[in-house]
Amino acid sequence: MAEWSFPAEPGAVRTARATVRTTLADWGLESVADIAVLLVSELVTNSLTYASGPIGVRLEQLGGGLLVEVSDPLPDPPLERAAEPDDEGGRGLQLVARASRRWGARRGKSGKTVWFELSVAG
C-alpha cells in the first residue's frame, strides 16, 4: 500500500500522476499505469475543482487488482453527468466508470473518497 497527501494547488495533478506512475513501476504494474494515471488525474482534477483542502491518493494491491482511492474534504458525493458533445468537462466520472472494473464513493469523517479498481493481469 502507498498513500500521499497533495495540497489543493494546480500542480497537484501533475505531481499525483508522476507519483502514481513511479509507484506502479516500482511494483511491476506497468500494465495498468497508463489507465491508473489517467483516472487519478481525472479524480484529482475534480477534487481541485470542487474542494479546497488537501487531496489524498492511496494505492493498494489486491488479489488480481489494484485499488485506487482519491479523497478530499468535500462531503458531497460526485455526480456522474451526461456531457454534451461540445462540453469541455463532465466526462471524468464516465471515464472512471467505463475504464475500471468497479468504482464508487463513500463519505468519511472529514470528506469523501472516490475509489476504483483495475484488473491486473498476472
Side-chain angles (χ1 to χ4, degrees):
M1 184 196 51
E3 60 186 321
W4 309 272
S5 180
F6 302 102
E9 300 171 354
V13 177
R14 181 181 335 105
T15 305
R17 282 193 305 251
T19 303
V20 167
R21 185 174 299 282
T22 299
T23 300
L24 294 177
D26 290 346
W27 290 355
L29 297 178
E30 291 91 347
S31 64
V32 295
D34 287 343
I35 192 65
V37 166
L38 175 64
L39 300 182
V40 164
S41 181
E42 290 292 334
L43 294 179
V44 171
T45 298
N46 282 353
S47 291
L48 281 173
T49 301
Y50 300 107
S52 61
I55 300 164
V57 177
R58 181 176 176 274
L59 307 178
E60 183 178 349
Q61 293 185 67
L62 306 170
L66 175 71
L67 172 66
V68 180
E69 299 177 332
V70 176
S71 303
D72 65 49
L74 188 67
D76 301 328
L79 298 174
E80 188 176 353
R81 63 185 177 104
E84 296 296 322
D86 292 335
D87 288 350
E88 290 188 23
R91 293 174 183 82
L93 289 176
Q94 291 178 0
L95 186 59
V96 171
R98 285 176 176 78
S100 61
R101 71 178 176 190
R102 293 186 330 140
W103 80 280
R106 67 178 181 277
R107 287 187 180 187
K109 293 179 184 175
S110 60
K112 71 167 170 312
T113 299
V114 180
W115 58 269
F116 62 87
E117 290 181 8
L118 298 174
S119 296
V120 176

